[in-house]
Amino acid sequence: MHKDIATPVRTQEILKKYGFSFKKSLGQNFLIDPNILRNIVGHADLTKDSAAIEVGPGIGALTEHLARQAGKVVSFEIDQRLLPVLEDTLSPYDNVEIIHSDILKANVKEVIDTQLAGYEDIMVVANLPYYVTTPILMKLLMEGLPLRGMVVMMQKEVADRISAKPGTKAYGSLSIAVQYYMQAEIAMIVPKTVFMPQPNVDSAVLRLIRHDAPPVQVKDEDFFFIVTKAAFAQRRKTLLNNLQSQLPNGKARKEEILVALEEAGIEPTRRGETLSIEEFGKLSDHLLPIFHS
């Protein structure tokens, strides 16, 4: 077994050897605790028949643990300065492919088809850069990729919002957008002390497992997401006010919106955060003919 990359001493050695300095703009915070890494990988339930996709490998701390558990690891790294570092630190592992690319611009489906052909079980496992967590998650969810799920580290506050239940302060359109595709739960809280450099916030590992079928069947997915976004546009406003101000020509369609709410069995005075994903599904189906006529 090779010496873990993720210890404070080894991390310092590697950074010094390559004269590496952290780029704040890339949200680089490297993990320096092997136990935490083992736990993260443990939550992904990987075997040698599994493949893992990683975003932002840094110097390879998590990548190494994935390589030990999974059959194949594909990792997207945007920072060119890290490519020679990764080639060095991950040299003991022949089942890792580093792709120099911004995950937000990458054709992930094509990468899966070419690099991970033959793998039925694919998980995204990553310590996500905090400043682009949501766009990365939404891209991976909405591109219809053949993923079993994701185990991803992010700011605790974002993980709270994604896993939130109706009626709570954290619950919003992001909760619904993710929970439409995946079951979401916080697997562990990660203190800032296990990072180098230390971030200003606590982190959490979110475990997302894909639903066999979405929890609600809607007639038009895009419109469903438009309605949920509209409902949370201003949290203090009632559902009726938000729908009127956010949907096209909504003010002129107040009566029709009221009818749709009544047909869906939802009081117009309720606020977005009190509605379950099922209620949003009903509502968007009843509103659809009004706005798509």
Side-chain angles (χ1 to χ4, degrees), residues 1-8 11 30-44 61-62 64-66 68-69 125 151 153 187-191 193-195 205:
M1 192 62 116
H2 305 278
K3 254 196 330 188
D4 278 349
I5 295 165
T7 62
T11 300
F30 297 166
L31 277 162
I32 49 172
D33 183 328
N35 288 326
I36 299 262
L37 289 161
R38 273 191 284 277
N39 277 339
I40 293 172
V41 176
H43 285 293
L62 176 61
E64 165 175 77
H65 285 265
L66 290 169
R68 291 172 186 169
Q69 296 295 324
V125 188
V151 174
M153 173 127 64
M188 56 196 269
I189 306 297
V190 183
T193 47
V194 300
F195 293 94
V205 174

Side-chain angles (χ1 to χ4, degrees), residues 46-83:
L46 302 170
T47 68
K48 286 297 174 191
D49 294 327
S50 315
I53 296 173
E54 188 190 13
V55 180
I59 57 172
L62 176 61
T63 328
E64 165 175 77
H65 285 265
L66 290 169
R68 291 172 186 169
Q69 296 295 324
K72 177 97 189 258
V73 183
V74 170
S75 204
F76 291 87
E77 179 52 65
I78 192 172
D79 188 349
Q80 187 148 10
R81 302 172 305 153
L82 286 165
L83 302 180

Side-chain angles (χ1 to χ4, degrees), residues 5-24:
I5 295 165
T7 62
V9 174
R10 180 106 195 270
T11 300
Q12 288 285 18
E13 276 172 12
I14 294 165
L15 297 178
K16 204 170 147 195
K17 177 176 171 183
Y18 286 91
F20 184 84
S21 56
F22 292 95
K23 262 196 189 159
K24 224 180 165 59

Side-chain angles (χ1 to χ4, degrees), residues 111-165:
V111 170
I112 290 174
D113 290 345
T114 52
Q115 302 284 345
L116 302 179
Y119 284 97
E120 302 275 302
D121 182 51
I122 304 173
M123 285 292 279
V124 172
V125 188
N127 170 16
L128 293 174
Y130 290 174
Y131 71 108
V132 283
T133 298
T134 309
I136 290 173
L137 271 183
M138 293 321 296
K139 173 188 164 95
L140 294 171
L141 286 171
M142 298 187 82
E143 288 190 350
L145 305 169
L147 304 172
R148 169 162 55 92
M150 308 188 207
V151 174
V152 279
M153 173 127 64
M154 60 190 66
Q155 232 169 294
K156 181 178 177 295
E157 183 215 346
V158 180
D160 285 340
R161 279 167 48 206
I162 290 173
S163 58
K165 300 277 178 270

